[in-house]
Every structure is written in C-alpha cells, then in structure tokens.
Amino acid sequence: MTSVDFSAYQQLLQELQPRNVKLIAVSKTFPPEAILALYEKGHRDFGENYVQELVSKQKVLPPDIRWHFIGHLQTNKVKHIAPFIHCIQSVDSIRVLQEIDRQAEKCQRIIPVMLQVHIAKETTKFGLDEASLHELLKQHQAWPHARIIGLMGMATFTDNTQVIQSEFHYLKLLFDQLKQTYFSDNPNFSELSMGMSHDYRIAVEEGSTMVRIGSLIFGERKKD
C-alpha cells in the first residue's frame, strides 16, 4: 500500500499557493487508494501518463477529480479519455490536436490542451520544436473544440541546474512570444506547465504556473 507524504504535500502547497502555481499530483503507477487519500485532503488535480490506467482509475474514483493527461498520447487512444479529461498537457503534433478536436465535438465538449515543447537535451522526450509550434498556431482557430491554454515542457534530467534553468527560461520566453503573436486578445492562453519533483523550484523561479509532482508526494515508483 502506497502511503502519501502529507507533510511534503502541505509544504508544497505552502510554497506554491502564494505564487499562484497549481500543483498537479502525478499519480501514475500509484493505486486509487493513494489518490483517494489525497483527494480527502481536498486535492483535485491529478496527472496520469497512460490511457488504460487513467480510464480504470477514473471509473472507481470521485467524478469531480480534474484529470490531466501528461504522457505521450496516440491518436487512437484519444476517444477513451475525451468524455471526461480535464486537460491534455502533452499535445505534440497537429494530428493529435485534430483528433482531440474531433472527439471533443462528438462529446459536445471543449477540451483544454497544452502544447508540449521539446526543450531537453534527450532525444527520447517528445514535443514540438519552434517551427512546428508556429505552423500549428497559425491555424489554431481551426480546432474550436481543442482550446489551447498554454505550453508544457520537460527539462533535461540532470544535476546541472544551469542546464535546467536555461531550458525553462527558454520555454518562458517562447511562451511570452507566442502569447503576444497568436493570443494577444485571448486570455485562455495563460498556463506554463514546467517543473517536476527534482526541478520544480527552478521552474517556479522561471515563471511556471503549474508543476507536475509525483514522487515527493507518493514516494518513489517501483521500477519496471
């Protein structure tokens, strides 16, 4: 049974709330009981990486949980989460965005989405580059049921804080530039999701509005 570190959770809230930074509790691989324990403390925003796992949890947990999808999303899986997902943070292609728009329209919903930007040195991480972002955003009004609310990024996994800081700094500059270029009269584009358990403080200093934290709250994940 996974135990939730409530003191770490409270400390996170004390750090983040005065700065209006939203805490997404990343619950992937942890059981519904752990999510429910945090839910009973008043937490509502949870992040999941895998569609099948998310769907099974959503069925057995309270309906007012705000589920954030933060993993790589295949187009053929969008339909499974479209009826209930609160936000899809990991849109990394026009094809995925088109499918979210299509499925959201079927569900008579508008689904908030974030565009994942590749900022890390690792090639294994997903995300759009700057040119692809501009190509997508020039036509963003073509998908009225997929509401673009901001950007998401993952920094290089390293102990070198200067590398992490420069990557987050770049993403914040890019966010500001895109907001001015494509969303100057649209207040919806307002979220910058960056920062995880090991680097969230750097992300907050660089302008993050949303951090995705799992192991600090739920403990270390079991390795596959």
Side-chain angles (χ1 to χ4, degrees):
M1 171 68 186
T2 304
S3 59
V4 178
D5 189 336
F6 292 114
S7 63
Y9 171 69
Q10 290 299 333
Q11 186 182 335
L12 282 163
L13 291 184
Q14 285 167 15
E15 282 184 64
L16 299 172
Q17 284 179 341
R19 305 185 73 155
N20 291 318
V21 177
K22 187 175 289 178
L23 172 61
I24 311 300
V26 179
S27 46
K28 68 172 182 180
T29 76
F30 295 114
E33 294 79 18
I35 298 169
L36 195 58
L38 203 59
Y39 174 90
E40 286 169 353
K41 293 289 184 185
H43 198 78
R44 293 295 179 268
D45 291 280
F46 292 88
E48 290 284 336
N49 282 55
Y50 307 108
V51 168
Q52 195 172 349
E53 184 182 348
L54 169 55
V55 169
S56 66
K57 287 175 177 177
Q58 190 268 341
K59 286 176 179 171
V60 299
L61 286 162
D64 62 332
I65 285 179
R66 296 186 289 266
W67 295 105
H68 297 251
F69 193 80
I70 59 175
H72 179 59
L73 182 59
Q74 297 169 299
T75 51
N76 64 338
K77 299 284 181 68
V78 174
K79 61 180 179 284
H80 300 299
I81 62 174
F84 66 85
I85 197 73
H86 177 73
C87 179
I88 297 173
Q89 294 199 16
S90 48
V91 175
D92 58 8
S93 72
I94 286 180
R95 282 183 63 243
V96 170
L97 190 63
Q98 287 170 331
E99 183 62 14
I100 293 168
D101 182 72
R102 201 167 74 84
Q103 295 297 336
E105 186 174 14
K106 276 187 180 179
C107 298
Q108 299 183 303
R109 298 187 66 208
I110 292 174
I111 297 177
V113 303
M114 305 177 82
L115 304 178
Q116 183 172 351
V117 186
H118 190 277
I119 60 171
K121 300 287 186 282
E122 297 111 326
T123 54
T124 51
K125 289 192 165 84
F126 293 98
L128 296 150
D129 60 23
E130 213 170 311
S132 306
L133 273 172
H134 283 285
E135 183 191 343
L136 186 155
L137 287 170
K138 282 174 189 169
Q139 45 185 324
H140 73 90
Q141 291 173 325
W143 306 294
H145 294 271
R147 177 178 291 154
I148 299 170
I149 63 166
L151 303 179
M152 184 267 258
M154 282 184 275
T156 302
F157 192 79
T158 175
D159 292 329
N160 187 330
T161 56
Q162 286 183 308
V163 169
I164 296 168
Q165 185 175 19
S166 69
E167 289 169 355
F168 286 152
H169 187 71
Y170 162 75
L171 189 57
K172 176 62 163 73
L173 290 176
L174 184 59
F175 171 84
D176 291 340
Q177 178 200 357
L178 296 174
K179 185 174 177 65
Q180 190 173 3
T181 305
Y182 300 104
F183 299 96
S184 58
D185 57 350
N186 184 344
N188 291 321
F189 192 82
S190 60
E191 299 288 0
L192 186 54
S193 175
M194 57 187 195
M196 297 158 67
S197 289
H198 62 287
D199 59 15
Y200 76 91
R201 287 193 175 105
I202 303 171
V204 170
E205 289 302 322
E206 291 300 328
S208 176
T209 68
M210 197 180 276
V211 295
R212 310 178 304 276
I213 294 182
S215 57
L216 284 179
I217 299 169
F218 295 110
E220 293 299 325
R221 290 182 180 82
K222 288 179 182 170
K223 298 285 185 270
D224 294 331

